Structure formats: structure tokens, C-alpha cells
Amino acid sequence: MTRRAFLAAAASLSAQTRRPNVLLIMADDFGYECMSGNGGTSYKTPVLDEMARTGVRFTHAFAQPLCTPTRLQLMTGQHNFRNYKSFGAMDPNEKTFGHMMQRAGYKTCIAGKWQLFSYDAKPSKYRGTGKRPEQGGFDEFMLWHDAYSEDKGSRYGKPVINKNGKMMTGIADKYGPDLFSDYLIDFMSRNKNNPFFAYYPMALTHGPFNTTPLSDDWATADRLKDDPKYFKDMVAYLDRDMGKVLKAVDTLGLAENTVVIFYADNGTPPEITSKMGARVIPGGKRLTTEAGMHVPMMARWRGKSPAGKVCDDLIDSTDFLPTIMDITGAKWFDGLPLDGRSFFPQIKGEVGCSRRV
């Protein structure tokens, strides 16, 4: 065997034996009907649809109807009766999947929306009692809404962003989602030879509904003006952002060793009405209805997940942490409960331990 052939074989073996990476992406306020691959006809989502065609599309993924309850369940694997304190806050003593993955030897990163420190104004007893990004279990972070709600600023045009403990400067002309996805890609690039866990809680498509760099009036509009007419552009930008991130996974040579999961935290806002053919669907965020809780979900692991598979199993936001454990071999903390169940078998096209629909 030549030296080149030996090195190629060794690299291939290393890629096959290395623990898989996990890239978890969660859209904000993005209901099941927003994805054209689910039958939605108001918006075009070619990248998400392609992800579904090359992986597994889950038709019965549900979340809580508001972001904090879903995020708590997602990050702790527990139902809300165990650890919910107040909207926009997480107990600073809570363990997260970030802590778990750090302990398992993974590099960890979060980029996007935090909103887990403090939401309530004085004199609320929960004022300032939440978890700061530095306490979340992530080696690196770039986050919007990391502190008090009145200081959060914009997540889109003229963004206010905390990068690893320092507020970013010189970004007034930038678009927040671009900064988040660029940072996430940079993290993956720097850690392509290490096992990593990257969590991307996107800013899009949550209101305020602002102009985007894909909008016709980006150069001239008030970039902080709230107008539901921009929601369609925001969906298009979310889809573009997904394409950018997935292309980076492929270009970095990580696709065969990275499980990519896309999900959403709750349904579409009530200001937005969408269609699935002739069916009109008012946004149901905040409601315990299908419109408020039914969300799109796909998973892709090149060479491992069956292309075009459709899974009807019921998925819940507590299921993600056990799934990450199953993918990576990480262990949860002794004495802390887990309420979810792994859907990793379903990602591989196998029969899993599913709930009844």
C-alpha cells in the first residue's frame, strides 16, 4: 500500500469511528404550515424541502405553544412541571444538554436567541434570577437577548449581540441572522476534527416583522419597522440561512459524521395567516391547538438516514436530549429525571419507541 493510500484509509477509518457531531437548529415562531414540503402554499422553502428529501421528515412533531416552555424542555429533557419558574428565565442551577455534552468531551457552541436570564420587570420576584449564557454549558456563544428584556435591542437590523461575554460593536449595518450563522459555521470549521455539539436557536421568524436583506426595500426602509408584510421575506431568509449552514456542513466534509436536526419552538404568530392549498390557517402561537403546537421537523445524517423517509411518530420537545445521548453516547446527570425518549432509531429509518398519535 502506498503512503497516500494508507493516509486515505486511515482518514476514512477515523471519520467512521469518531463520535458523531450534532447540529440542532430551532426556528422561532415557525408553524408546520410554513414549510412548502409539508403542503404549505403561502411560502417557498426549497432548502428545507431538500433537507426532507435527503433525510427524514417528521409529520407529528409538537412543541409547547410558547418559546420558554419549549426551550426548557428541549435543553433539559424534562416536562415543564419539573423546572419552569417564569417566562424568559431558567433556574441558574439547571443542567442543560450543553453541560452534558461538555462532560462527554464535546466542543459546544450556541448562536442565536437566549432569552433565559430575565424577562420580568421589577418588582417581580423572578427579576434577575435566570441563567446567563456563561452558565449554560457552552464553550462559545453569540447571543441576542442575553440580559434584561428592556435592554435586549434588535435581533435583526441594528442588532444587539453578546459574543462570549462582550457586546459586539461596529455591527449596526449588519443583519443579526447573518452574524449568527457565520459564527456557527466558523465554530464548525475550527472544530471539524473534534466532536462538537452546536445549537442554533434562530432569531427568525419571530416578530417584530422587519425588512430583510432579501427584501426589495432593505437599502431604504426603516429596518426596525414592524410590518407583517415582511413575514414572507423572513421565511425566505430562514430558508436561505439553512442552505448556507447545510452547505458549510457539506463543504467542510462533515455531512457523514454530523446529525443535523431542524425543529421549531412553537406555531406561527396570530398576526400571520397562511394557507395549505384551500385551507386557511391563522397563526396559533400561545394556543394549545394544532396551529400553536404543530411544528416542522427534519433530520439528516448522510449515508445513515434514509432519503425521503416520512415518519409519523409523535415527537415531543423532551425527546431531543435523550436522542442526543443516543447519538453520541453522552450520559445524563445522576439523580436528574428525563421524561423524553430517543428518536435516533427513526433518524436511521428504524422502528423506535414511539408514542401513539
Short mmCIF file of all heavy atoms in Angstrom, two decimals, residues 102-167:
data_model
loop_
_atom_site.label_atom_id
_atom_site.label_comp_id
_atom_site.label_asym_id
_atom_site.label_seq_id
_atom_site.Cartn_x
_atom_site.Cartn_y
_atom_site.Cartn_z
N GLN A 102 -20.45 18.90 27.21
CA GLN A 102 -19.12 19.28 27.69
C GLN A 102 -18.49 18.13 28.47
O GLN A 102 -17.32 17.79 28.28
CB GLN A 102 -19.20 20.53 28.58
CG GLN A 102 -19.32 21.84 27.85
CD GLN A 102 -19.33 23.01 28.81
OE1 GLN A 102 -19.88 22.93 29.92
NE2 GLN A 102 -18.75 24.13 28.39
N ARG A 103 -19.27 17.55 29.37
CA ARG A 103 -18.75 16.46 30.19
C ARG A 103 -18.39 15.25 29.34
O ARG A 103 -17.49 14.48 29.70
CB ARG A 103 -19.79 16.08 31.26
CG ARG A 103 -19.24 15.12 32.30
CD ARG A 103 -20.22 14.87 33.42
NE ARG A 103 -21.39 14.12 32.99
CZ ARG A 103 -22.22 13.51 33.82
NH1 ARG A 103 -22.03 13.57 35.14
NH2 ARG A 103 -23.26 12.85 33.36
N ALA A 104 -19.07 15.10 28.20
CA ALA A 104 -18.78 13.98 27.30
C ALA A 104 -17.57 14.24 26.41
O ALA A 104 -17.22 13.38 25.59
CB ALA A 104 -20.01 13.68 26.44
N GLY A 105 -16.95 15.41 26.55
CA GLY A 105 -15.75 15.71 25.78
C GLY A 105 -16.00 16.40 24.46
O GLY A 105 -15.10 16.48 23.63
N TYR A 106 -17.22 16.89 24.26
CA TYR A 106 -17.56 17.59 23.03
C TYR A 106 -17.27 19.09 23.17
O TYR A 106 -17.42 19.67 24.25
CB TYR A 106 -19.04 17.42 22.70
CG TYR A 106 -19.38 16.16 21.94
CD1 TYR A 106 -19.17 14.90 22.51
CD2 TYR A 106 -19.91 16.21 20.66
CE1 TYR A 106 -19.48 13.73 21.81
CE2 TYR A 106 -20.23 15.07 19.95
CZ TYR A 106 -20.00 13.83 20.54
OH TYR A 106 -20.31 12.68 19.84
N LYS A 107 -16.87 19.71 22.06
CA LYS A 107 -16.84 21.15 21.98
C LYS A 107 -18.28 21.63 21.81
O LYS A 107 -19.05 21.03 21.04
CB LYS A 107 -16.00 21.63 20.80
CG LYS A 107 -14.54 21.21 20.88
CD LYS A 107 -13.81 21.92 22.00
CE LYS A 107 -12.32 21.59 21.99
NZ LYS A 107 -11.59 22.27 23.09
N THR A 108 -18.67 22.69 22.52
CA THR A 108 -20.07 23.13 22.49
C THR A 108 -20.17 24.60 22.10
O THR A 108 -19.34 25.42 22.47
CB THR A 108 -20.74 22.92 23.86
OG1 THR A 108 -20.05 23.69 24.86
CG2 THR A 108 -20.73 21.46 24.25
N CYS A 109 -21.24 24.91 21.36
CA CYS A 109 -21.46 26.28 20.90
C CYS A 109 -22.96 26.53 20.78
O CYS A 109 -23.73 25.63 20.41
CB CYS A 109 -20.79 26.48 19.54
SG CYS A 109 -21.06 28.11 18.78
N ILE A 110 -23.37 27.75 21.10
CA ILE A 110 -24.74 28.20 20.87
C ILE A 110 -24.69 29.55 20.19
O ILE A 110 -23.87 30.41 20.55
CB ILE A 110 -25.55 28.28 22.19
CG1 ILE A 110 -26.98 28.77 21.92
CG2 ILE A 110 -24.86 29.16 23.22
CD1 ILE A 110 -27.88 28.73 23.15
N ALA A 111 -25.54 29.76 19.19
CA ALA A 111 -25.64 31.04 18.50
C ALA A 111 -27.10 31.32 18.22
O ALA A 111 -27.85 30.43 17.82
CB ALA A 111 -24.84 31.01 17.19
N GLY A 112 -27.52 32.58 18.44
CA GLY A 112 -28.90 32.95 18.16
C GLY A 112 -29.57 33.60 19.35
O GLY A 112 -29.08 34.57 19.92
N LYS A 113 -30.70 33.06 19.75
CA LYS A 113 -31.55 33.65 20.80
C LYS A 113 -31.34 32.94 22.14
O LYS A 113 -31.39 31.72 22.21
CB LYS A 113 -33.01 33.54 20.37
CG LYS A 113 -34.04 33.97 21.40
CD LYS A 113 -35.45 33.79 20.86
CE LYS A 113 -36.51 34.05 21.89
NZ LYS A 113 -37.87 33.88 21.35
N TRP A 114 -31.13 33.72 23.19
CA TRP A 114 -31.01 33.16 24.54
C TRP A 114 -32.32 33.33 25.31
O TRP A 114 -33.05 32.39 25.49
CB TRP A 114 -29.84 33.84 25.28
CG TRP A 114 -29.56 33.24 26.63
CD1 TRP A 114 -29.68 33.86 27.85
CD2 TRP A 114 -29.09 31.92 26.92
NE1 TRP A 114 -29.31 33.00 28.88
CE2 TRP A 114 -28.95 31.80 28.32
CE3 TRP A 114 -28.78 30.82 26.13
CZ2 TRP A 114 -28.51 30.62 28.95
CZ3 TRP A 114 -28.33 29.64 26.75
CH2 TRP A 114 -28.20 29.57 28.14
N GLN A 115 -32.63 34.52 25.79
CA GLN A 115 -33.88 34.84 26.49
C GLN A 115 -34.16 33.88 27.65
O GLN A 115 -35.29 33.44 27.85
CB GLN A 115 -35.05 34.82 25.50
CG GLN A 115 -36.27 35.61 26.00
CD GLN A 115 -37.44 35.53 25.06
OE1 GLN A 115 -38.06 34.50 24.89
NE2 GLN A 115 -37.77 36.66 24.45
N LEU A 116 -33.14 33.58 28.43
CA LEU A 116 -33.31 32.68 29.57
C LEU A 116 -32.77 33.27 30.86
O LEU A 116 -32.68 32.58 31.87
CB LEU A 116 -32.62 31.33 29.29
CG LEU A 116 -33.23 30.49 28.17
CD1 LEU A 116 -32.33 29.31 27.83
CD2 LEU A 116 -34.63 30.02 28.53
N PHE A 117 -32.43 34.58 30.83
CA PHE A 117 -31.90 35.20 32.04
C PHE A 117 -32.95 35.95 32.83
O PHE A 117 -33.24 35.65 33.97
CB PHE A 117 -30.72 36.12 31.74
CG PHE A 117 -30.30 36.94 32.92
CD1 PHE A 117 -29.81 36.33 34.08
CD2 PHE A 117 -30.42 38.32 32.91
CE1 PHE A 117 -29.45 37.07 35.19
CE2 PHE A 117 -30.05 39.07 34.03
CZ PHE A 117 -29.56 38.45 35.16
N SER A 118 -33.56 36.97 32.23
CA SER A 118 -34.54 37.75 32.99
C SER A 118 -35.49 38.46 32.04
O SER A 118 -35.06 39.25 31.20
CB SER A 118 -33.83 38.78 33.87
OG SER A 118 -34.77 39.43 34.72
N TYR A 119 -36.75 38.19 32.18
CA TYR A 119 -37.77 38.81 31.32
C TYR A 119 -38.64 39.79 32.11
O TYR A 119 -39.06 40.81 31.60
CB TYR A 119 -38.63 37.72 30.69
CG TYR A 119 -39.37 38.17 29.45
CD1 TYR A 119 -38.79 38.02 28.20
CD2 TYR A 119 -40.64 38.74 29.53
CE1 TYR A 119 -39.45 38.43 27.05
CE2 TYR A 119 -41.30 39.15 28.40
CZ TYR A 119 -40.71 38.99 27.15
OH TYR A 119 -41.36 39.40 26.02
N ASP A 120 -38.91 39.45 33.36
CA ASP A 120 -39.86 40.23 34.15
C ASP A 120 -39.27 41.56 34.63
O ASP A 120 -38.09 41.65 34.98
CB ASP A 120 -40.32 39.43 35.37
CG ASP A 120 -41.15 38.23 35.00
OD1 ASP A 120 -41.44 38.06 33.80
OD2 ASP A 120 -41.52 37.46 35.90
N ALA A 121 -40.10 42.57 34.66
CA ALA A 121 -39.71 43.87 35.21
C ALA A 121 -39.87 43.86 36.73
O ALA A 121 -40.52 42.98 37.30
CB ALA A 121 -40.56 44.97 34.58
N LYS A 122 -39.27 44.84 37.37
CA LYS A 122 -39.48 44.99 38.81
C LYS A 122 -40.96 45.27 39.05
O LYS A 122 -41.61 45.90 38.23
CB LYS A 122 -38.64 46.15 39.33
CG LYS A 122 -37.14 45.92 39.25
CD LYS A 122 -36.37 47.14 39.74
CE LYS A 122 -34.86 46.91 39.65
NZ LYS A 122 -34.10 48.08 40.12
N PRO A 123 -41.56 44.80 40.14
CA PRO A 123 -40.93 44.16 41.30
C PRO A 123 -41.04 42.63 41.27
O PRO A 123 -41.07 42.00 42.34
CB PRO A 123 -41.75 44.73 42.45
CG PRO A 123 -43.15 44.82 41.87
CD PRO A 123 -42.96 45.16 40.41
N SER A 124 -41.10 42.03 40.10
CA SER A 124 -41.24 40.58 40.04
C SER A 124 -40.13 39.87 40.83
O SER A 124 -38.95 40.26 40.77
CB SER A 124 -41.18 40.11 38.57
OG SER A 124 -41.09 38.71 38.51
N LYS A 125 -40.50 38.82 41.53
CA LYS A 125 -39.51 38.07 42.32
C LYS A 125 -38.55 37.30 41.41
O LYS A 125 -37.51 36.82 41.87
CB LYS A 125 -40.21 37.12 43.27
CG LYS A 125 -40.99 35.99 42.60
CD LYS A 125 -41.62 35.07 43.64
CE LYS A 125 -42.39 33.93 42.98
NZ LYS A 125 -42.98 33.02 44.00
N TYR A 126 -38.90 37.18 40.13
CA TYR A 126 -38.04 36.45 39.20
C TYR A 126 -37.06 37.38 38.47
O TYR A 126 -36.28 36.92 37.65
CB TYR A 126 -38.89 35.69 38.19
CG TYR A 126 -39.71 34.60 38.81
CD1 TYR A 126 -41.10 34.73 38.93
CD2 TYR A 126 -39.11 33.46 39.33
CE1 TYR A 126 -41.86 33.74 39.53
CE2 TYR A 126 -39.86 32.46 39.93
CZ TYR A 126 -41.23 32.60 40.02
OH TYR A 126 -41.99 31.62 40.61
N ARG A 127 -37.13 38.66 38.78
CA ARG A 127 -36.24 39.62 38.14
C ARG A 127 -34.77 39.25 38.42
O ARG A 127 -34.35 39.13 39.56
CB ARG A 127 -36.53 41.00 38.69
CG ARG A 127 -35.55 42.09 38.30
CD ARG A 127 -35.84 42.62 36.94
NE ARG A 127 -35.02 43.81 36.64
CZ ARG A 127 -35.08 44.46 35.51
NH1 ARG A 127 -35.93 44.08 34.56
NH2 ARG A 127 -34.32 45.52 35.29
N GLY A 128 -33.99 39.00 37.37
CA GLY A 128 -32.57 38.72 37.54
C GLY A 128 -32.24 37.36 38.12
O GLY A 128 -31.12 37.14 38.58
N THR A 129 -33.19 36.42 38.07
CA THR A 129 -32.95 35.12 38.71
C THR A 129 -32.67 34.00 37.71
O THR A 129 -32.55 32.85 38.10
CB THR A 129 -34.16 34.71 39.57
OG1 THR A 129 -35.31 34.54 38.71
CG2 THR A 129 -34.46 35.75 40.63
N GLY A 130 -32.59 34.32 36.44
CA GLY A 130 -32.41 33.28 35.44
C GLY A 130 -30.96 32.88 35.22
O GLY A 130 -30.07 33.19 36.02
N LYS A 131 -30.75 32.18 34.11
CA LYS A 131 -29.41 31.66 33.78
C LYS A 131 -28.76 32.54 32.72
O LYS A 131 -29.33 32.80 31.67
CB LYS A 131 -29.53 30.22 33.28
CG LYS A 131 -28.18 29.54 33.05
CD LYS A 131 -28.35 28.16 32.42
CE LYS A 131 -28.92 27.14 33.37
NZ LYS A 131 -27.97 26.79 34.46
N ARG A 132 -27.54 32.96 32.98
CA ARG A 132 -26.78 33.72 32.00
C ARG A 132 -26.12 32.76 31.01
O ARG A 132 -25.90 31.59 31.33
CB ARG A 132 -25.72 34.57 32.69
CG ARG A 132 -26.30 35.70 33.53
CD ARG A 132 -25.20 36.64 34.02
NE ARG A 132 -25.74 37.73 34.82
CZ ARG A 132 -26.21 38.87 34.33
NH1 ARG A 132 -26.22 39.06 33.02
NH2 ARG A 132 -26.67 39.82 35.13
N PRO A 133 -25.78 33.25 29.81
CA PRO A 133 -25.17 32.37 28.82
C PRO A 133 -23.93 31.65 29.32
O PRO A 133 -23.69 30.49 28.98
CB PRO A 133 -24.83 33.33 27.68
CG PRO A 133 -25.81 34.44 27.80
CD PRO A 133 -26.04 34.61 29.27
N GLU A 134 -23.14 32.33 30.14
CA GLU A 134 -21.91 31.72 30.66
C GLU A 134 -22.18 30.50 31.53
O GLU A 134 -21.28 29.67 31.74
CB GLU A 134 -21.12 32.75 31.48
CG GLU A 134 -20.56 33.91 30.69
CD GLU A 134 -21.55 35.07 30.54
OE1 GLU A 134 -22.76 34.87 30.79
OE2 GLU A 134 -21.10 36.17 30.17
N GLN A 135 -23.41 30.38 32.01
CA GLN A 135 -23.78 29.26 32.89
C GLN A 135 -24.45 28.12 32.13
O GLN A 135 -24.84 27.13 32.73
CB GLN A 135 -24.75 29.76 33.98
CG GLN A 135 -24.22 30.88 34.85
CD GLN A 135 -25.31 31.49 35.71
OE1 GLN A 135 -26.34 31.98 35.22
NE2 GLN A 135 -25.12 31.43 37.02
N GLY A 136 -24.60 28.26 30.81
CA GLY A 136 -25.44 27.34 30.05
C GLY A 136 -24.80 26.05 29.59
O GLY A 136 -25.48 25.18 29.06
N GLY A 137 -23.47 25.92 29.73
CA GLY A 137 -22.81 24.70 29.30
C GLY A 137 -22.22 24.80 27.90
O GLY A 137 -21.98 23.77 27.26
N PHE A 138 -21.95 26.03 27.45
CA PHE A 138 -21.41 26.21 26.10
C PHE A 138 -20.04 26.86 26.15
O PHE A 138 -19.85 27.88 26.82
CB PHE A 138 -22.38 27.06 25.26
CG PHE A 138 -23.71 26.39 25.08
CD1 PHE A 138 -24.79 26.72 25.91
CD2 PHE A 138 -23.89 25.42 24.11
CE1 PHE A 138 -26.02 26.10 25.76
CE2 PHE A 138 -25.12 24.79 23.96
CZ PHE A 138 -26.18 25.12 24.79
N ASP A 139 -19.09 26.25 25.44
CA ASP A 139 -17.74 26.81 25.39
C ASP A 139 -17.72 28.16 24.71
O ASP A 139 -16.91 29.03 25.07
CB ASP A 139 -16.81 25.86 24.61
CG ASP A 139 -16.73 24.47 25.22
OD1 ASP A 139 -16.75 24.38 26.46
OD2 ASP A 139 -16.65 23.49 24.46
N GLU A 140 -18.58 28.34 23.72
CA GLU A 140 -18.63 29.58 22.96
C GLU A 140 -20.08 29.97 22.72
O GLU A 140 -20.95 29.10 22.60
CB GLU A 140 -17.94 29.42 21.60
CG GLU A 140 -16.49 28.95 21.67
CD GLU A 140 -15.87 28.86 20.29
OE1 GLU A 140 -16.27 29.65 19.41
OE2 GLU A 140 -14.99 28.02 20.10
N PHE A 141 -20.33 31.28 22.64
CA PHE A 141 -21.68 31.72 22.34
C PHE A 141 -21.68 33.06 21.63
O PHE A 141 -20.78 33.88 21.78
CB PHE A 141 -22.55 31.78 23.60
CG PHE A 141 -22.08 32.75 24.66
CD1 PHE A 141 -22.43 34.10 24.61
CD2 PHE A 141 -21.31 32.32 25.74
CE1 PHE A 141 -22.02 34.99 25.58
CE2 PHE A 141 -20.89 33.20 26.72
CZ PHE A 141 -21.25 34.54 26.66
N MET A 142 -22.71 33.25 20.83
CA MET A 142 -23.03 34.56 20.24
C MET A 142 -24.55 34.68 20.31
O MET A 142 -25.27 33.98 19.60
CB MET A 142 -22.56 34.66 18.78
CG MET A 142 -22.92 36.02 18.14
SD MET A 142 -22.55 36.11 16.38
CE MET A 142 -20.80 36.51 16.48
N LEU A 143 -25.03 35.59 21.18
CA LEU A 143 -26.44 35.56 21.54
C LEU A 143 -27.08 36.93 21.61
O LEU A 143 -26.47 37.91 22.04
CB LEU A 143 -26.60 34.86 22.90
CG LEU A 143 -26.23 33.37 22.94
CD1 LEU A 143 -26.09 32.90 24.38
CD2 LEU A 143 -27.29 32.55 22.21
N TRP A 144 -28.34 36.95 21.21
CA TRP A 144 -29.21 38.09 21.40
C TRP A 144 -30.09 37.84 22.63
O TRP A 144 -30.41 36.70 22.96
CB TRP A 144 -30.10 38.27 20.15
CG TRP A 144 -31.23 39.22 20.36
CD1 TRP A 144 -31.17 40.59 20.31
CD2 TRP A 144 -32.59 38.89 20.66
NE1 TRP A 144 -32.41 41.13 20.57
CE2 TRP A 144 -33.30 40.10 20.79
CE3 TRP A 144 -33.26 37.69 20.84
CZ2 TRP A 144 -34.66 40.14 21.09
CZ3 TRP A 144 -34.62 37.72 21.14
CH2 TRP A 144 -35.30 38.95 21.26
N HIS A 145 -30.50 38.93 23.30
CA HIS A 145 -31.38 38.87 24.48
C HIS A 145 -30.74 38.03 25.59
O HIS A 145 -31.32 37.07 26.09
CB HIS A 145 -32.75 38.29 24.12
CG HIS A 145 -33.84 38.65 25.09
ND1 HIS A 145 -33.61 39.08 26.37
CD2 HIS A 145 -35.19 38.64 24.97
CE1 HIS A 145 -34.75 39.32 26.98
NE2 HIS A 145 -35.73 39.06 26.15
N ASP A 146 -29.52 38.42 25.96
CA ASP A 146 -28.78 37.68 26.98
C ASP A 146 -29.00 38.24 28.38
O ASP A 146 -28.59 37.63 29.36
CB ASP A 146 -27.29 37.73 26.67
CG ASP A 146 -26.75 39.16 26.73
OD1 ASP A 146 -27.19 39.99 25.90
OD2 ASP A 146 -25.92 39.46 27.60
N ALA A 147 -29.64 39.43 28.48
CA ALA A 147 -29.78 40.08 29.78
C ALA A 147 -31.22 40.52 30.00
O ALA A 147 -32.16 39.84 29.60
CB ALA A 147 -28.81 41.25 29.88
N TYR A 148 -31.42 41.67 30.62
CA TYR A 148 -32.76 42.14 30.94
C TYR A 148 -33.53 42.46 29.67
O TYR A 148 -32.98 42.97 28.69
CB TYR A 148 -32.70 43.37 31.85
CG TYR A 148 -32.16 43.04 33.22
CD1 TYR A 148 -30.87 43.41 33.58
CD2 TYR A 148 -32.94 42.34 34.14
CE1 TYR A 148 -30.38 43.09 34.84
CE2 TYR A 148 -32.46 42.02 35.40
CZ TYR A 148 -31.17 42.40 35.75
OH TYR A 148 -30.68 42.07 36.98
N SER A 149 -34.82 42.18 29.69
CA SER A 149 -35.64 42.28 28.49
C SER A 149 -35.65 43.69 27.91
O SER A 149 -35.65 43.88 26.69
CB SER A 149 -37.06 41.81 28.79
OG SER A 149 -37.73 41.48 27.62
N GLU A 150 -35.65 44.70 28.79
CA GLU A 150 -35.71 46.07 28.28
C GLU A 150 -34.40 46.50 27.60
O GLU A 150 -34.35 47.51 26.91
CB GLU A 150 -36.06 47.06 29.41
CG GLU A 150 -34.99 47.15 30.50
CD GLU A 150 -35.23 46.21 31.66
OE1 GLU A 150 -35.90 45.18 31.46
OE2 GLU A 150 -34.76 46.52 32.77
N ASP A 151 -33.35 45.71 27.77
CA ASP A 151 -32.06 46.03 27.17
C ASP A 151 -31.74 45.15 25.95
O ASP A 151 -30.63 45.19 25.43
CB ASP A 151 -30.93 45.84 28.19
CG ASP A 151 -31.07 46.76 29.39
OD1 ASP A 151 -31.53 47.91 29.20
OD2 ASP A 151 -30.73 46.35 30.51
N LYS A 152 -32.72 44.37 25.51
CA LYS A 152 -32.43 43.36 24.50
C LYS A 152 -32.10 43.93 23.13
O LYS A 152 -31.35 43.34 22.37
CB LYS A 152 -33.61 42.38 24.38
CG LYS A 152 -34.90 43.02 23.87
CD LYS A 152 -36.04 42.02 23.89
CE LYS A 152 -37.34 42.66 23.40
NZ LYS A 152 -38.47 41.71 23.44
N GLY A 153 -32.68 45.07 22.75
CA GLY A 153 -32.43 45.63 21.44
C GLY A 153 -32.96 44.74 20.33
O GLY A 153 -33.76 43.84 20.54
N SER A 154 -32.47 44.98 19.11
CA SER A 154 -32.94 44.26 17.94
C SER A 154 -32.14 42.98 17.71
O SER A 154 -30.95 42.92 18.01
CB SER A 154 -32.84 45.16 16.71
OG SER A 154 -33.09 44.43 15.51
N ARG A 155 -32.81 42.00 17.13
CA ARG A 155 -32.14 40.76 16.72
C ARG A 155 -31.89 40.75 15.21
O ARG A 155 -31.24 39.85 14.70
CB ARG A 155 -32.99 39.55 17.11
CG ARG A 155 -34.21 39.34 16.25
CD ARG A 155 -35.26 38.51 16.93
NE ARG A 155 -36.06 39.34 17.81
CZ ARG A 155 -37.07 38.88 18.57
NH1 ARG A 155 -37.37 37.59 18.54
NH2 ARG A 155 -37.76 39.68 19.33
N TYR A 156 -32.43 41.73 14.50
CA TYR A 156 -32.37 41.77 13.03
C TYR A 156 -31.50 42.95 12.57
O TYR A 156 -30.28 42.88 12.62
CB TYR A 156 -33.79 41.84 12.46
CG TYR A 156 -34.65 40.65 12.83
CD1 TYR A 156 -35.91 40.82 13.41
CD2 TYR A 156 -34.21 39.35 12.60
CE1 TYR A 156 -36.69 39.73 13.74
CE2 TYR A 156 -34.99 38.26 12.93
CZ TYR A 156 -36.24 38.45 13.50
OH TYR A 156 -37.01 37.37 13.83
N GLY A 157 -32.12 44.03 12.07
CA GLY A 157 -31.35 45.21 11.72
C GLY A 157 -30.84 45.91 12.97
O GLY A 157 -31.51 45.90 14.01
N LYS A 158 -29.65 46.49 12.90
CA LYS A 158 -29.02 47.15 14.05
C LYS A 158 -29.00 46.21 15.26
O LYS A 158 -29.48 46.58 16.35
CB LYS A 158 -29.74 48.46 14.38
CG LYS A 158 -29.78 49.45 13.24
CD LYS A 158 -30.52 50.72 13.61
CE LYS A 158 -30.57 51.69 12.44
NZ LYS A 158 -31.31 52.94 12.77
N PRO A 159 -28.45 45.04 15.13
CA PRO A 159 -28.56 44.02 16.19
C PRO A 159 -27.73 44.34 17.43
O PRO A 159 -26.70 45.01 17.37
CB PRO A 159 -28.04 42.76 15.50
CG PRO A 159 -27.07 43.27 14.48
CD PRO A 159 -27.67 44.55 13.97
N VAL A 160 -28.22 43.83 18.55
CA VAL A 160 -27.53 43.93 19.84
C VAL A 160 -27.15 42.50 20.24
O VAL A 160 -28.01 41.69 20.57
CB VAL A 160 -28.44 44.58 20.90
CG1 VAL A 160 -27.73 44.61 22.25
CG2 VAL A 160 -28.84 45.98 20.47
N ILE A 161 -25.85 42.20 20.22
CA ILE A 161 -25.40 40.81 20.35
C ILE A 161 -24.23 40.69 21.32
O ILE A 161 -23.28 41.48 21.27
CB ILE A 161 -25.00 40.24 18.97
CG1 ILE A 161 -26.21 40.25 18.03
CG2 ILE A 161 -24.43 38.84 19.10
CD1 ILE A 161 -25.90 39.83 16.61
N ASN A 162 -24.30 39.69 22.18
CA ASN A 162 -23.24 39.36 23.13
C ASN A 162 -22.42 38.20 22.56
O ASN A 162 -22.95 37.12 22.34
CB ASN A 162 -23.87 38.96 24.47
CG ASN A 162 -22.84 38.60 25.53
OD1 ASN A 162 -21.68 38.35 25.24
ND2 ASN A 162 -23.29 38.54 26.78
N LYS A 163 -21.15 38.45 22.34
CA LYS A 163 -20.25 37.41 21.83
C LYS A 163 -19.26 37.05 22.92
O LYS A 163 -18.37 37.83 23.25
CB LYS A 163 -19.53 37.89 20.57
CG LYS A 163 -18.53 36.89 19.99
CD LYS A 163 -17.82 37.47 18.78
CE LYS A 163 -16.78 36.52 18.23
NZ LYS A 163 -16.05 37.12 17.07
N ASN A 164 -19.45 35.88 23.48
CA ASN A 164 -18.54 35.36 24.50
C ASN A 164 -18.27 36.34 25.63
O ASN A 164 -17.14 36.51 26.10
CB ASN A 164 -17.21 34.92 23.87
CG ASN A 164 -17.39 33.77 22.91
OD1 ASN A 164 -18.15 32.84 23.18
ND2 ASN A 164 -16.70 33.80 21.78
N GLY A 165 -19.34 37.01 26.07
CA GLY A 165 -19.24 37.89 27.24
C GLY A 165 -18.97 39.34 26.94
O GLY A 165 -18.90 40.16 27.86
N LYS A 166 -18.85 39.72 25.65
CA LYS A 166 -18.62 41.10 25.28
C LYS A 166 -19.63 41.53 24.23
O LYS A 166 -19.89 40.79 23.29
CB LYS A 166 -17.20 41.30 24.75
CG LYS A 166 -16.11 41.06 25.78
CD LYS A 166 -14.73 41.34 25.19
CE LYS A 166 -13.64 41.14 26.24
NZ LYS A 166 -12.28 41.41 25.67
N MET A 167 -20.17 42.74 24.41
CA MET A 167 -21.12 43.24 23.43
C MET A 167 -20.39 43.62 22.15
O MET A 167 -19.36 44.30 22.18
CB MET A 167 -21.87 44.46 23.98
CG MET A 167 -22.65 44.16 25.27
SD MET A 167 -23.74 42.70 25.16
CE MET A 167 -24.90 43.24 23.90
#
